[in-house]
Amino acid sequence: MELEGRIRKAEFICRCCGECCSGKDNEVMVSPDEIDLLCQATGLTRDQIAEPYPEWIRDGGAVFTFGRVLRRGEDGNCMFLADSKCTVYEHRPHICRTYPFMLDGENLLVFECSGCKSGAETPDAEQMAKDLLARREAEDKEFLLTKEQYQKHSMVLGSTIIFDSRGAHLHK
Ligand code: SF4
Ligand code: SF4
């Protein structure tokens, strides 16, 4: 079945409960382009919006990670969540736009959330299918460019580096 049909049959209707934006497990990976959009929309700096992906890899004397995630408050909630609502809704990243769906190759994964098993077909399935394909294209591009950056930069002992599609960034 084509993607749109599979999404429709997943019977997902967002309840706008904000649960996917709260708690400590809601790591939202954001690309440099997505961070730029959020900077333009909010007037905040890149560092105010995103922090390094928190799984650091140690290799000899160097420490590094790949990409960034949206910052969260001490309660673990996304910094853009207020009264269970997204305050940057029009500019939200691909991951937020497509939750609870994800493509794994050609497979459609559906994460359990309170909007699932609604008993009615998923509305806007066509748009969700487009968003999922756009997400996959953007993530594949980011992955390949980040890999290139990782391969062309040599590690400096004692440095802490964040690799992304735009280069190797020293983390202070
Ligand atoms: S996607 Fe699910 S968890 Fe997130 S706000 Fe909608 S219903 Fe709630
Ligand atoms: S950017 Fe918006 S949709 Fe995404 S996790 Fe934060 S509050 Fe939720």
Side-chain angles (χ1 to χ4, degrees):
M1 191 191 297
E2 62 175 311
L3 182 58
E4 187 183 325
R6 283 180 280 158
I7 293 169
R8 193 169 289 118
K9 289 225 170 322
E11 301 188 346
F12 165 73
I13 297 177
C14 184
R15 307 281 179 210
C16 300
C17 63
E19 279 169 24
C20 55
C21 316
S22 355
K24 298 213 180 321
D25 296 330
N26 66 331
E27 257 162 25
V28 177
M29 288 289 295
V30 269
S31 69
D33 290 351
E34 288 177 317
I35 298 172
D36 280 352
L37 259 183
L38 288 166
C39 288
Q40 284 162 20
T42 61
L44 296 172
T45 66
R46 300 173 60 78
D47 283 344
Q48 286 172 323
I49 287 173
E51 60 188 348
Y53 184 71
E55 277 183 29
W56 294 96
I57 299 163
R58 288 167 204 284
D59 182 8
V63 181
F64 58 96
T65 192
F66 296 99
R68 293 179 177 77
V69 294
L70 286 183
R71 284 193 184 278
R72 289 167 285 184
E74 282 183 11
D75 53 6
N77 296 352
C78 174
M79 63 178 286
F80 293 121
L81 186 69
D83 298 329
S84 301
K85 299 265 182 307
C86 177
T87 56
V88 290
Y89 191 77
E90 292 302 319
H91 310 282
R92 67 199 188 288
H94 284 296
I95 288 182
C96 309
R97 210 168 275 276
T98 51
Y99 194 84
F101 299 106
M102 184 180 158
L103 284 174
D104 177 18
E106 295 310 313
N107 291 328
L108 177 69
L109 306 183
V110 187
F111 297 97
E112 278 295 318
C113 81
S114 54
C116 294
K117 302 192 179 90
S118 69
E121 287 193 342
T122 308
D124 301 327
E126 184 182 356
Q127 185 59 50
M128 182 59 86
K130 284 182 188 158
D131 288 343
L132 273 167
L133 294 172
R135 172 181 168 182
R136 181 166 68 184
E137 189 181 336
E139 287 178 348
D140 286 352
K141 185 174 155 211
E142 182 66 22
F143 174 80
L144 285 176
L145 291 173
T146 299
K147 191 171 157 195
E148 268 178 31
Q149 295 294 345
Y150 172 68
Q151 286 170 337
K152 81 178 184 197
H153 285 88
S154 48
M155 300 289 175
V156 179
L157 287 188
S159 60
T160 302
I161 299 169
I162 309 156
F163 288 102
D164 64 21
S165 56
R166 295 187 188 171
H169 313 275
L170 271 183
H171 180 53
K172 295 155 200 146

